[in-house]
Amino acid sequence: MNPRLLLAASLFGALVCGAIAVSSSASLAQETPPDKTTTTSLPEREVSNRIDAEIRKVWERDGIKGADESSDEEFIRRVYLDTVGLPPKPDEVLAFIGDKDKEKRRKLIDKLVDDTRFGEHLADRWTDILIGRTGRAFGGSPPLFAIWFAEQINAGRKFSDIMYDLVVAEGQLSENPAVAVYIREVPFKTANAAGLVTKNLTGVQIQCAECHDHLYEPAWTMDVFNGVASFWSPIQLRLNNRSLPVDPAITDNPRGPNFNEAALERLPAERREAAQIALRYNKPVTLDGTAIKTDDRRFWRPAMAKWMVSDDNTQTANYIANRFWSFAFGMGILNPIDDFNSFNEASHPELLSFLGQDLIDNDYDIRRLYRAILNSKTYQLSSKDSPKKAELWHFASAPVRQLSPEQFFGTFVQIAGGDDLARAYRMRSGSLADQVKRRVENTMKRMERNPDDPNMRQYEYNNESLDSFVEWYEKMDAPWYMRRNMAAGYARVGNDDEMNEADGFSLTIDQALLVMNGDVTNNLSGSRRGTLIWKLLNEFKDDDKRLDHLYLTVLSRHPTSSESRSMKSYIKDQKDKSQGWEDIMFALLATTEFSTNH
């Protein structure tokens, strides 16, 4: 980005809109859970009404008056980002604003939740939670997992079934990408896998009980942790680094340790630690104290999965409701979102219990939950004029939230050219499928050219795995791949000293441009045919219409009268009109309004 554009962004950043505070395959070990039908007679509208009633009950208690309803412009940008992960296009904004149907918001929500991008957006969120954007990615496990997860959501599967499949996942990565949850670290560690799954699928954090009894939960002792972790102890990670492409596999060892503690001293030192771990995690017991009697360890994970999604397990349901609520509001009804314990209280406990029970009654129908939340008056409040006495957990106004990296970069790709740009990028750089094939073929060719090189590792070509990987990768379209790829690039530069990924998105516009692909920045910084600036100059005949289209494209709204006067005055003083419009575009991209959800 050239200095002139940076200067323009600086000059107009405060002017434009002002600063906004950012506040499974079947096997012996895997039983498919029954496919239940909806069992509740409670209409979705009543769920939305109950949400509003519970929120307002706390307002009345604390003397708070909620914000006004959001404008159509504010609502449409927010609801698009929260469902499909991208803002609306100008024609979609105009059509919605001009629609006089009183039910238009409900109809739009129905349309967006049924969009295939809904599954992709949720896949982005859950891949980040369960696997992360960076780290070791054998066979490209993060995008593979995202593709698999999106398929489950878009096929209409209940979330309880998806969770079940994640807990019991086994097989090769190329055949069952759900196993990516268990190959995020090598070597596989039982305690870490148990902590990851219980935290992110049930909202219970018992990790610190691995080394000592929990500091403030007397019931969570080391013995309890050992019992919970035992469910994952049969897992074996098989990894053949001499076979290309590398295709990790997860299996369950049916037999436990065949020695006692007295025999440990006779073992070689390198085997003793593994044996101690095997003995420690060999008696599976659920958090409610239910012990698993069978010695066939292939049944242990299915037993845990059944317990986790049981109708009697309200903990899991409350956590999942809390997690999806946080996707819509930026925080949970209970916070931290994934730390349910006896000392952590929900801001609206009756509401959380109600939403969790509604999930159970409807077999974890996530689309139903999403529609009920988005159709509530609480979700549709404005982010403007937040009540002075209200805390964020009052949900008395719509919280202004930073876009996730995937939302942020996806928006850039859409502005810079959308599907056409992404397809052009894929033609030049190759799809994920092309890239994995190229890596394998290049390695095999190097080996063939240097058969006598002692430093050259000898590989075997696994054509079956390669074909399976390629089949999966071809399901990810170019725009989705581009935004995920750029988000991973951001995560790498945003890691802290301990290689923990940043939770929030905090890159400045110039830093973001460094992370983005050159095709995106080139299409933003220029007026050649097909770019946004070219379209402004050639498809619109006056500055009013140009400015209106630019604002609708970048911010999903019309400019205010004062913004219009300032921007047109700036353009009038520029000798190079295309450069002037580019300056304004980057000024808008530099505002907090662009990088947030409202």
Side-chain angles (χ1 to χ4, degrees), residues 563-580:
E563 289 169 343
S564 182
R565 287 193 300 270
S566 298
M567 298 305 174
K568 287 191 294 183
S569 176
Y570 180 80
I571 289 295
K572 185 177 180 180
D573 293 338
Q574 304 305 305
K575 293 181 180 179
D576 186 339
K577 300 301 181 185
S578 64
Q579 184 67 67

Side-chain angles (χ1 to χ4, degrees), residues 257-286:
N258 57 358
F259 49 82
N260 55 36
E261 293 189 14
L264 286 177
E265 298 302 322
R266 298 193 296 270
L267 292 175
E270 63 271 13
R271 290 185 55 196
R272 192 174 302 136
E273 182 179 0
Q276 289 172 329
I277 293 174
L279 284 175
R280 178 179 179 181
Y281 303 131
N282 195 42
K283 295 179 180 179
V285 181
T286 59

Side-chain angles (χ1 to χ4, degrees), residues 1 36 82 142 162 167 184 197 201 221 252-253 342 354 389 424 428 431 440 454 498 530:
M1 185 173 175
K36 297 184 295 183
D82 285 341
I162 298 174
V167 175
R184 58 179 290 166
V197 175
L201 292 183
T221 64
D252 279 334
N253 185 351
S342 58
F354 168 77
K389 292 175 58 179
R428 285 190 292 274
S431 64
V440 171
E498 297 181 355

